[in-house]
Amino acid sequence: MNDTANVPENHAPLNHVESCPDPRHFNFTARVLHWSMALMILAMLFVGIGMVSSLSLRPALISLHQPLGIAILLLVIVRLINRLRHRPPPLPADLPAVQVFAAKASHWLLYALMFAMPLIGWCMLSVGGYPVTMFNGFALPAIAPHNATVYAVFRSAHTWLALLLFATVLMHLAAALFHAWVRRDDVFASMARGYVTNAKTLGEEKEHENSANE
Amino acid sequence: MQNTTSTPDLLSRRLTWLPLLAIGFIVAAIVLAFAWVAGWLTPDRLTPARFTNAIETSNGQVHRGFRRAHAKGVCVAGYFEGNGQGVELSSARLFSTVRTPFIGRMSIGGGSPYGLDNKARVRSMALQLNSDDGQQWRMAMNSFPFFAVSSVEAFYEQTAANAPDPATGKPDPAKVAAFAAAHPEFARFAEWAKNTPWSTSWANTAYNSVNTFRFSNPAGEQHHVRWSMQPQTAFVAMSPEEREAADDNFLTEDLMARLAHGPLRWDMVVTIAAPGDSITDPSKIWPEDRRKVTVGSVVIESSSPQTSGACRDINYDPLILPKGVDGSEDPLLAARSAVYSVSFNRRQYDIATGKADTAIGQASSQETSP
Ligand code: HEM
Ligand code: HEM
């Protein structure tokens, strides 16, 4: 699929790209937020499932889970603003339409879940009559009134959406590695660091883009 | 895409399968790790859900919408009045000379909401105290002064041993005996249950933290403590004959009658551990001569049925604590916190799914067995 033999011959389009406004990679803020939040979310999923299945670790894990979850809520706001203000690098032009759709849909699903999960956590504690403890001596205010039925709904949503988030994160990870190792295009690199490593695909992409006038 | 030579094609195809395999392997490893942490791969590992299942089994039946333990009780309300003596021990706001309102619950041990008051050896008091600094302290205390067994696992075994035998509807005596033999500390509890006189009321019963907590004062000094709510209402013993004759709901009736005449009070007495006292084993009592400080009093002013009262939808998790109070290394506390949460989730879910008409006071008669 990926013929790397042509690489050295594609210097010209690369030079051309440098004068073009299309970004080749996510900006620094986006990359830092992406990787730190990736770690935090994976940690949250494991801490969450661990604390509800352990008879000994719950106190320690819950005191990590709640502030870390709210930190994710704050970071995702910053991240979304940054994302809306800075155009992300385009996907490779030769990416099949289904994969383009899957990529875009899953990215927005990830944003939605990064927002929803901590908000549901906060709501769930509020309607469950629990203090929303952040750290010793500090708790967030309740954002909804104490109610058994609403608690049950939010509590279930927290579990099922966590599992959906986990599945989406795994698909996202698999797709990113697919880009890096199988397609060997620049998608992974565009988030991994600032430089495009594979000049060939970039060249192709630029040509396609120019012709498609995207 | 179209290669003219076959060698690079073969090579690249092989190179495609390798990374795909690697990706599959990485994803599978993460899923497996998650499943392992969740306990899905280890059906024998004791989890909060499995502990709660065992409690439900030993109850003989799931009473939808009710607490899976201490199912029968009544909501109460009142306040805690600090006398200032606790300030040197803990920075918890309620130890100052202020009144801190609470929503509480008086209950009896056991998993049936129709338990017989005159057969319930264990009586309980639970409080959710809301300080004016926004902090909360939840306590769930029992009338026994020490726990029956010394570990979470032992309590699980006790719960399992007490499950009714399907053939007789009663616990299997062989299992109960085997449990007692395996846990010699249980004999002390059995002796307490047998020989300690019963009192006539929730009002003249003492309620104990049983587990050890840690107080810290503003100077950062820490003390391991246990506490007891000591009734100001005079102790009156109840003879076995009186108990036989007493109504199934005599505790609630008695409480309402007393509250009609005025509030009921308990002194909160904090006992401070000395070096060497057991922190991690709630079945071990501390010597009588330990320093004790009376830090204030619990005042109950009113009661309401648990089907509609504010205590119904509260999880009296003993690890919801204000600044100045922490859990100790006692492993029972973490286990309680975890299991209470599962019990709470299940009963709230019962209510949400409309399976709990009795528990929320919307059924005309007692629920029937499923
Ligand atoms: C990205 C954000 C979050 C993720 C991925 C996440 C994930 C999880 C997971 C996987 C569980 C276990 C669910 C189960 O097995 O039923 C859980 C439980 C829980 N989460 Fe979160 N969570 C997040 C945010 C929050 C926040 C912000 C709070 C509160 C402020 C919170 C509070 C809780 C609580 C209290 C539980 C346990 C409830 C119980 O024992 O019934 N979570 N979470
Ligand atoms: C590992 C040991 C224990 C387990 C597994 C356990 C389990 C439970 C469960 C499942 C509930 C119902 C919670 C709810 O649905 O809200 C409960 C309630 C209660 N437990 Fe425990 N318990 C343990 C130890 C203790 C100890 C040591 C005490 C006494 C200090 C205690 C006192 C209470 C009280 C007073 C309640 C009733 C609280 C209320 O009125 O809501 N428990 N327990």
Side-chain angles (χ1 to χ4, degrees):
Chain A
M1 261 194 220
N2 202 352
D3 191 350
T4 47
N6 287 336
V7 172
E9 297 161 22
N10 273 302
H11 282 277
L14 189 64
N15 291 338
H16 159 75
V17 166
E18 264 153 18
S19 59
C20 171
D22 243 352
R24 289 177 300 160
H25 51 77
F26 286 89
N27 69 6
F28 182 72
T29 316
R31 297 197 309 274
V32 169
L33 283 172
H34 174 272
W35 291 107
S36 53
M37 290 183 72
L39 269 182
M40 288 165 82
I41 285 166
L42 214 53
M44 282 298 284
L45 289 162
F46 277 85
V47 164
I49 203 74
M51 77 194 188
V52 298
S53 60
S54 168
L55 284 166
S56 55
L57 298 176
R58 181 186 174 88
L61 293 183
I62 207 164
S63 62
L64 179 66
H65 191 83
Q66 297 186 178
L68 194 58
I70 295 297
I72 288 176
L73 179 62
L74 297 177
L75 287 178
V76 77
I77 294 171
V78 177
R79 185 165 173 188
L80 199 65
I81 293 171
N82 180 67
R83 172 67 170 72
L84 293 173
R85 292 185 56 198
H86 298 270
R87 200 148 46 100
L91 288 168
D94 63 338
L95 200 64
V98 240
Q99 286 184 40
V100 172
F101 174 78
K104 296 203 163 146
S106 66
H107 294 166
W108 288 112
L109 182 61
L110 283 169
Y111 273 111
L113 290 171
M114 282 189 289
F115 248 116
M117 280 305 296
L119 267 182
I120 289 172
W122 188 351
C123 260
M124 161 180 110
L125 288 178
S126 306
V127 296
Y130 289 105
V132 191
T133 309
M134 291 292 99
F135 36 82
N136 197 11
F138 177 68
L140 295 175
I143 48 174
H146 193 171
N147 181 296
T149 302
V150 181
Y151 172 76
V153 172
F154 277 112
R155 182 64 190 80
S156 303
H158 201 70
T159 300
W160 291 110
L161 291 182
L163 293 178
L164 178 63
L165 176 60
F166 187 49
T168 317
V169 164
L170 288 177
M171 270 159 44
H172 181 76
L173 171 71
L177 294 177
F178 184 79
H179 280 286
W181 294 344
V182 180
R183 280 184 52 93
R184 284 185 230 152
D185 57 23
D186 303 311
V187 169
F188 192 90
S190 71
M191 188 55 92
R193 50 204 154 118
Y195 305 104
V196 171
T197 47
N198 193 335
K200 177 237 159 196
T201 28
L202 186 75
E204 275 183 0
E205 169 194 303
K206 280 296 128 202
E207 280 155 20
H208 282 288
E209 246 166 52
N210 292 344
S211 56
N213 200 15
E214 209 211 329
Chain B
M1 286 289 180
Q2 280 155 356
N3 276 294
T4 42
T5 50
S6 60
T7 325
D9 189 35
L10 250 179
L11 192 73
S12 82
R13 216 176 269 162
R14 206 173 290 141
L15 286 178
T16 304
W17 280 110
L18 257 174
L20 278 179
L21 215 78
I23 294 170
F25 183 80
I26 289 170
V27 170
I30 299 173
V31 170
L32 273 179
F34 191 79
W36 181 78
V37 172
W40 299 332
L41 305 179
T42 46
D44 289 338
R45 195 178 97 201
L46 189 53
T47 62
R50 287 172 195 141
F51 205 131
T52 314
N53 295 345
I55 294 173
E56 287 179 348
T57 306
S58 84
N59 290 344
Q61 164 185 1
V62 177
H63 297 279
R64 295 285 168 199
F66 289 98
R67 286 164 169 80
R68 284 1 184 202
H70 299 252
K72 188 180 181 188
V74 52
C75 296
V76 294
Y79 58 89
F80 180 87
E81 196 163 38
N83 62 13
Q85 299 297 305
V87 171
E88 54 133 341
L89 295 171
S90 160
S91 46
R93 169 74 179 150
L94 56 73
F95 290 139
S96 314
T97 52
V98 291
R99 281 189 178 187
T100 301
F102 64 72
I103 298 165
R105 184 170 177 270
M106 307 302 290
S107 62
I108 57 173
S112 168
Y114 316 111
L116 309 178
D117 289 356
N118 52 359
K119 297 262 157 51
R121 182 69 269 211
V122 177
R123 296 178 190 160
S124 321
M125 171 190 274
L127 303 175
Q128 176 192 293
L129 299 131
N130 299 294
S131 289
D132 57 9
D133 60 354
Q135 309 250 338
Q136 219 179 71
W137 189 345
R138 299 190 188 184
M139 318 175 167
M141 300 159 289
N142 273 339
S143 54
F144 47 72
F146 51 85
F147 202 52
V149 288
S150 58
S151 69
V152 175
E153 293 69 27
F155 188 57
Y156 175 76
E157 285 169 37
Q158 183 185 356
T159 306
N162 282 327
D165 187 325
T168 62
K170 293 211 155 57
D172 177 348
K175 283 188 184 156
V176 175
F179 160 77
H183 300 282
E185 76 272 22
F186 182 73
R188 197 147 34 91
F189 183 82
E191 156 36 65
W192 171 88
K194 191 156 167 258
N195 295 329
T196 308
W198 293 56
S199 61
T200 52
S201 168
W202 266 319
N204 56 14
T205 302
Y207 304 98
N208 308 299
S209 73
V210 180
N211 298 113
T212 302
F213 291 79
R214 199 171 52 226
F215 279 3
S216 40
N217 66 15
E221 291 161 345
Q222 301 196 329
H223 297 283
H224 279 113
V225 300
R226 291 174 180 173
W227 65 82
S228 175
M229 303 303 183
Q230 297 284 340
Q232 290 185 5
T233 310
F235 179 84
V236 177
M238 201 177 193
S239 70
E241 298 71 36
E242 285 170 318
R243 266 205 293 131
E244 271 318 308
D247 188 84
D248 296 346
N249 302 314
F250 83 91
L251 285 173
T252 306
E253 290 155 12
D254 165 86
L255 186 79
M256 285 164 62
R258 286 174 191 263
L259 287 172
H261 287 101
L264 299 166
R265 294 174 163 269
W266 286 258
D267 289 327
M268 179 171 179
V269 180
V270 175
T271 304
I272 295 137
D277 290 346
S278 181
I279 306 304
T280 53
D281 183 350
S283 75
K284 291 212 168 70
I285 29 181
W286 296 347
E288 252 322 295
D289 63 356
R290 291 296 175 258
R291 186 176 159 225
K292 291 186 164 65
V293 184
T294 302
V295 294
S297 32
V298 171
V299 183
I300 294 182
E301 297 177 300
S302 63
S303 74
S304 54
Q306 66 166 348
T307 48
S308 55
C311 76
R312 188 192 73 200
D313 298 327
I314 293 177
N315 170 5
Y316 288 94
D317 175 343
L319 286 182
I320 294 180
L321 299 165
K323 199 167 170 236
V325 185
D326 287 292
S328 69
E329 298 76 8
D330 181 346
L332 245 82
L333 281 171
R336 288 178 68 188
S337 185
V339 176
Y340 288 25
S341 170
V342 174
S343 171
F344 178 73
N345 289 349
R346 289 187 186 177
R347 60 191 175 88
Q348 299 294 90
Y349 195 73
D350 294 341
I351 292 174
T353 50
K355 291 185 202 136
D357 284 352
T358 322
I360 62 172
Q362 288 181 0
S364 45
S365 59
Q366 273 193 195
E367 61 178 344
T368 47
S369 299

